[in-house]
Amino acid sequence: MTQNPGKFIVIEGLEGAGKSSAITLVHDFIEKHTGMAPVCTREPGGTPLAEKIRDLVKNAEPGDPLCDEAECLLFYAARAQLVANVIKPSLASGRWVLGDRHNLSSIAYQGGGRGLMSLVKTISDATLGGFKPDLTLYLDIDPLLGLERAARRGALDRIEQQEIDFFHRARATFLAQARDDRTIVVIDASKPLNEVHKDILACLGTAL
Ligand code: Z5A
């Protein structure tokens, strides 16, 4: 007897969009819907090796700034590990997977933000070969509001310290991707939290 594959659901958004509480909400929805808690992942990270890569990309190395191309390759190295060792095996065993970010982040930040779209497409095709989430909820927020929320939470990391235009380009890319792909649903994350959560549940109710 073959096992039904699980589904891969991803939450995306600029910093401060509210991914953390959305993940808790979607986690509980999936648990109720399937009778089993999903496997939760975060990117970059989610395996011992990928967590080491997370440290490399999040923290600046004094005297040896990470160049844009190396940053992009590191995100894909972490993702390749996670897909091969966690996401695909979990889906194949029938488990659902809930991701805090996935490939759309690289398309938005490295492709749109850094202007490396051609490199992103090449590595994405080479490492993922068309593998993608069943559903992505993109929590859309103006970068200024998102960064203001993130700053209230504590010190900003290396990427959060980029100039604001970087985040505007990333946001425009998130939205452009959503226009072209029906598996990406845009949620207005500037609304009060209870309304954002209502919109997420409504979307899950129709999509799953
Ligand atoms: N990155 C990349 O460049 N390329 C890639 O391929 C990948 C990632 C995978 C990961 O950092 C960084 O790597 C990220 C993108 C880049 N960097 N940037 N910049 P991370 O995983 O540490 O950080 P994050 O993913 O951006 O998470 P975050 O900053 O924690 O964002 P969040 O989870 O969306 O924020 P939050 O903690 O849920 O909310 C922030 C605060 O706002 C919090 O106090 C909430 O209570 C509050 N909040 C949330 N929603 C609301 C509403 N609706 N109203 C009022 N207040 C709210």
Side-chain angles (χ1 to χ4, degrees), residues 83-194:
V83 169
N85 292 345
V86 177
I87 299 179
K88 282 189 173 170
S90 301
L91 295 174
S93 74
R95 294 290 298 275
W96 286 43
V97 177
L98 175 56
D100 179 348
R101 297 191 180 281
H102 187 60
N103 197 34
L104 186 55
S105 279
S106 293
I107 295 171
Y109 288 96
Q110 281 64 53
R114 304 274 192 229
L116 294 177
M117 197 58 90
S118 141
L119 178 64
V120 165
K121 286 199 168 129
T122 304
I123 323 175
S124 176
D125 288 348
T127 55
L128 298 173
F131 174 78
K132 60 184 273 210
D134 295 285
L135 175 68
T136 299
L137 299 176
Y138 164 59
L139 305 184
D140 181 51
I141 194 158
D142 182 275
L144 280 174
L145 178 55
L147 287 170
E148 192 186 299
R149 284 182 189 169
R152 261 188 256 134
R153 215 182 27 193
L156 299 176
D157 67 28
R158 185 187 65 86
I159 298 176
E160 288 165 341
Q161 290 169 18
Q162 297 298 307
E163 95 284 15
I164 195 71
D165 281 354
F166 169 81
F167 296 103
H168 283 299
R169 289 194 296 277
R171 182 192 192 190
T173 311
F174 272 124
L175 289 169
Q177 293 291 313
R179 276 193 293 276
D180 289 348
D181 184 340
R182 290 174 50 203
T183 68
I184 304 171
V185 177
V186 180
I187 303 282
D188 180 355
S190 66
K191 291 183 183 175
L193 204 55
N194 62 328

